[in-house]
Amino acid sequence: MAQTVEGTAVHPLHVVILGDSNTWIGGDDCDKPKGWNKWFVDEFRPLSCKSYARSGATWTNTSTTRENVVEDIAVLGNNNVIYNQIARLKRACDEGRQQMPDLIIIAAGTNDAWFVKQRPKVFAKTAAQAFADKEPIRGRKPNEVLSLAESVRYGCELLMERFPEAQIILLTPLQAIQPTRANLDRASDIIEQCGRRMGLEVVRQDRECCVRRADEQKTKRYTTDGAHTSEEGARLNGTYLAKRISELLHHH
């Protein structure tokens, strides 16, 4: 553990965050106050922290998903998936623009629960069914991996293969008013179950964090629109996650 001297890293780690709009609004450099990642960095104080998140991103691939490291849309799209954030991360490391990550945090799932019509296979498999094949599935094409459960397994296998030294921590989505509660619970359970099967730490943001669906339906306090954090929500959430993730670190 590094000394907590002003200006030095508390956690001497290179951190990478993948995710959707709630991370994206914090900026690629994790410096914008409406995103949790800015407050996380302020508290966690890593050596570096870079976000590859995109608004609208899903874990779940579709039948037309393919590798695309250049598309930069802020809405739902067939290629706006965690798989392509992983592809961009790999490319950035290959080209020397990104330090090899020690910690990879993935905060996604809101859009999987929200846009089920555009992700028709999202709940086609349980976690148990997604892990029925004992052989790794990372060799498949992304358009062959169409359920949330398989997409979580697939993305994590790709990361483990490329960054075997990195610790991966999964965050379930925050509560939000747009997806049904049932779909949000279902998506969160699948993400947690997949993480556990791969020996990964999981933070249940939907249970632990400050955003409460019922409260936000009445008065927007911790969100601006029922889904995206306000500055206050981001600060509370980011500060909480810094402490929570600190406790989950594997110290080599």
Side-chain angles (χ1 to χ4, degrees), residues 150-180:
E150 288 168 299
S151 297
V152 173
R153 178 184 179 184
Y154 181 65
C156 292
E157 282 186 2
L158 289 168
L159 288 167
M160 290 165 165
E161 179 183 45
R162 180 67 172 78
F163 307 109
E165 299 298 311
Q167 181 176 354
I168 301 167
I169 296 179
L170 305 181
L171 311 185
T172 66
L174 289 167
Q175 288 189 26
I177 67 175
Q178 289 84 354
T180 66

Side-chain angles (χ1 to χ4, degrees), residues 188-241:
S188 298
D189 287 347
I190 286 170
I191 291 164
E192 180 180 27
Q193 290 159 6
C194 290
R196 299 272 177 250
R197 284 171 181 271
M198 290 181 285
L200 305 179
E201 300 288 357
V202 181
V203 178
R204 285 293 298 237
Q205 287 199 104
D206 57 315
R207 293 180 186 156
E208 299 177 32
C209 295
C210 61
V211 177
R212 289 279 167 260
R213 181 193 164 102
D215 297 339
E216 297 296 319
Q217 279 169 328
K218 294 193 204 88
T219 320
K220 305 287 183 288
R221 181 179 176 192
Y222 296 130
T223 70
T224 55
D225 58 1
H228 301 96
T229 47
S230 61
E231 190 168 325
E232 187 182 6
R235 180 179 59 78
L236 278 174
N237 206 38
T239 307
Y240 174 77
L241 287 171

Side-chain angles (χ1 to χ4, degrees), residues 80-123:
N80 188 3
V81 291
I82 295 296
Y83 169 80
N84 275 321
Q85 293 180 29
I86 294 168
R88 285 193 293 119
L89 168 61
K90 289 179 177 175
R91 175 77 58 94
C93 289
D94 290 344
E95 294 176 358
R97 292 180 283 110
Q98 166 69 52
Q99 297 274 4
M100 288 288 278
D102 303 299
L103 173 62
I104 301 169
I105 301 166
I106 314 177
T110 304
N111 298 315
D112 302 78
W114 187 342
F115 298 104
V116 288
K117 284 191 175 65
Q118 292 91 332
R119 297 289 183 270
K121 295 279 174 66
V122 60
F123 296 128

